[in-house]
Amino acid sequence: MPKSQRIILAICLILFIFNLIAPILGEVFNINMIYFSLITLKITQGLFVIIFGIFTYRQIKRKGWK
C-alpha cells in the first residue's frame, strides 16, 4: 500500500476511534461538554465518511474489483 493510502487509513482510524470513544467517555464520566449529538462529533463523523469514501475509491482504482 502506498504511503498516501496509509496516511488516509491512519486518519480514518483516528476519526473512527474518536467518534467511538469520545461520546462513551462523556456519558460514563457525565461530562456535559461531550455528548452524542454534539456538533463537533457530527462533523467528525461526516469527515470520517468522506475520507473513508476517498480511501475506498482509491483502493478500488488501484486494485480493481478483484
Side-chain angles (χ1 to χ4, degrees):
M1 184 180 315
K3 187 175 182 181
S4 61
Q5 285 294 89
R6 284 185 266 160
I7 292 171
I8 293 173
L9 182 60
I11 292 170
C12 282
L13 289 174
I14 290 169
L15 288 173
F16 178 74
I17 291 170
F18 178 76
N19 287 327
L20 188 67
I21 298 294
I24 294 172
L25 289 177
E27 291 293 324
V28 168
F29 295 117
N30 200 16
I31 302 171
N32 292 331
M33 305 260 317
I34 305 172
Y35 49 92
F36 283 102
S37 61
L38 187 66
I39 190 70
T40 54
L41 289 176
K42 297 288 182 187
I43 290 171
T44 56
Q45 289 171 356
L47 283 174
F48 170 75
V49 169
I50 291 169
I51 292 173
F52 189 74
I54 291 169
F55 173 77
T56 304
Y57 171 75
R58 289 178 56 149
Q59 279 296 100
I60 291 171
K61 187 178 173 185
R62 190 169 76 85
K63 291 281 190 171
W65 286 99
K66 295 179 185 179

